[in-house]
Amino acid sequence: MRFKLTFLLLLLILPLALANLRVGFYGRSCPKAESIVQASVRRRFTRDKSITAALLRMHFHDCFVRGCDASILIDSTSKTSSEKDAGPNLTVRGFELIDEAKKALEATCPSRVSCADIIALATRDAVFLSGGPFYRVPTGRRDGLVSNPDEVNLPGPTLTVSQAFQSFRAKNMSMDDMVTLLGAHTVGVAHCSIFLDRIIGSDPTMDRGLRNKLNAICSAASGSNPDPTAFLDQGTPLTLDNQFFKQIGLRRGVMKIDQELANDPLSKRTVSGYAANAALFRTRFAEAMVKMGNIQVLEGSAGEIRKNCRVFNPRRRV
């Protein structure tokens, strides 16, 4: 009986012992790590509040391909393409902010802080600066050794709720997690080419006033700006709040997937709950971001700690 109890206790303890991701991972090896990243984000946010949407998108695109391993940061070369070359990633931006933070970290504590952790921390800090929740980010991720554009298969904006959920379920995320994370669109934008079919086809699920407004924006396309953008949240587009859910409840969702969230029985209840309760959304958003940041992470001796986030470390010869 004692053996069985001991064995069961070990089963409970082992997952905790093997999980190297934890809040304060750099407490001894690089005590100023989080404040250094935060300083870089604050400088950028002061002059460009849209950086929050850019970092949220980068973090999502990274975690949903091979896990949160900073594979999205690798530059392509004349011989090898990287994830940056994949269609969905061509408009991902904010890489220079990650470079700035990494340079400062390398000057303070060389080869200690991973690029994957920088993405997670920078995203958290930008969310907070945009009025969203401040949440504790477990760190200790390692950087990946592979960046393959052929592996980039992300849920697109024209999918149905059920179709989009297939990608989230494959990453162990629930329907509520998906709805919550798509709430990040409250600070996002979309190019006209993404939603133009809804305007031209007079989509009956779109509010007429919004359709006219978007039509005016897209009609202003020019040689210097052939594919204009529109805010996905028509209420408070630069604030991370629950306004997005209120908007789609009024048929003011810009992208198809956004409006589908408010209409589909699988997701509409969660949408209504967030629209009515800002505090609930803030709490769940923080939880969902932490959960997403744990997708297929590399820990311990797996992967590497890159010295330059854009290139893999030189391989050591044995």
Side-chain angles (χ1 to χ4, degrees):
M1 183 67 177
R2 181 179 297 175
F3 172 78
K4 288 183 179 180
L5 288 174
T6 303
F7 180 70
L8 289 173
L9 185 60
L10 284 173
L11 287 179
L12 292 172
I13 293 175
L14 273 174
L16 298 176
L18 295 176
N20 293 319
L21 240 59
R22 65 178 186 275
V23 173
F25 180 86
Y26 299 109
R28 291 186 178 181
S29 61
C30 191
K32 296 182 179 180
E34 295 198 23
S35 61
I36 288 173
V37 173
Q38 187 180 82
S40 293
V41 175
R42 281 186 178 279
R43 282 192 293 271
R44 178 61 180 271
F45 185 82
T46 299
R47 66 178 189 274
D48 177 17
K49 290 180 171 51
S50 71
I51 191 61
T52 302
L55 289 172
L56 280 163
R57 189 163 181 244
M58 180 194 294
H59 195 18
F60 171 73
H61 283 220
D62 183 43
C63 291
F64 268 62
V65 180
R66 300 189 69 85
C68 309
D69 67 348
S71 53
I72 195 172
L73 301 181
I74 295 295
D75 282 342
S76 297
T77 68
S78 58
K79 296 181 179 180
T80 308
S81 294
S82 71
E83 289 178 23
K84 285 183 179 178
D85 283 339
N89 290 337
L90 294 177
T91 52
V92 173
R93 61 187 183 87
F95 300 115
E96 68 287 345
L97 169 56
I98 305 300
D99 292 338
E100 178 187 324
K102 181 61 173 175
K103 182 177 180 181
L105 287 164
E106 286 297 302
T108 304
C109 31
S111 301
R112 287 286 184 270
V113 182
S114 70
C115 301
D117 276 343
I118 295 174
I119 295 177
L121 292 169
T123 303
R124 184 271 310 275
D125 294 334
V127 163
F128 179 67
L129 290 172
S130 293
F134 183 87
Y135 51 94
R136 303 177 76 192
V137 176
T139 45
R141 297 168 188 79
R142 304 268 293 179
D143 299 322
L145 302 174
V146 177
S147 183
N148 184 351
D150 295 332
E151 295 183 351
V152 178
N153 182 23
L154 298 163
T158 60
L159 297 181
T160 65
V161 170
S162 296
Q163 290 170 336
F165 181 53
Q166 299 308 310
S167 295
F168 283 81
R169 182 164 58 184
K171 300 299 180 184
N172 221 20
M173 305 292 281
S174 68
M175 176 62 73
D176 278 358
D177 291 330
M178 184 183 85
V179 177
T180 305
L181 291 173
L182 288 180
H185 287 176
T186 192
V187 291
V189 299
H191 288 275
C192 286
S193 56
I194 298 295
F195 57 83
L196 195 59
D197 61 322
R198 299 190 68 210
I199 300 174
I200 296 174
S202 297
D203 189 331
T205 66
M206 180 181 282
D207 171 72
R208 181 180 297 178
L210 174 63
R211 185 163 61 243
N212 292 338
K213 180 179 180 180
L214 296 176
N215 187 49
I217 292 173
C218 297
S219 296
S222 62
S224 59
N225 186 19
D227 196 6
T229 59
F231 288 118
L232 298 180
D233 176 350
Q234 301 297 307
T236 53
L238 295 175
T239 303
L240 204 146
D241 55 17
N242 69 331
Q243 188 64 221
F244 167 79
F245 296 104
K246 294 182 179 182
Q247 294 288 316
I248 61 178
L250 298 172
R251 297 189 299 119
R252 294 175 65 79
V254 176
M255 296 194 299
K256 177 184 176 181
I257 183 59
D258 292 346
Q259 193 55 57
E260 288 277 330
L261 291 176
N263 300 340
D264 196 298
L266 293 172
S267 51
K268 63 188 299 183
R269 184 175 179 179
T270 303
V271 169
S272 298
Y274 289 156
N277 192 333
L280 175 62
F281 171 61
R282 288 174 64 86
T283 298
R284 283 290 293 118
F285 186 77
E287 293 171 349
M289 287 297 293
V290 171
K291 185 175 180 180
M292 184 184 77
N294 284 325
I295 293 176
Q296 296 171 267
V297 295
L298 299 175
E299 303 172 297
S301 60
E304 65 181 12
I305 302 296
R306 285 184 217 140
K307 294 188 71 66
N308 179 342
C309 291
R310 292 175 180 263
V311 297
F312 300 120
N313 292 340
R315 299 272 68 81
R316 293 180 180 179
R317 295 184 179 180
V318 181

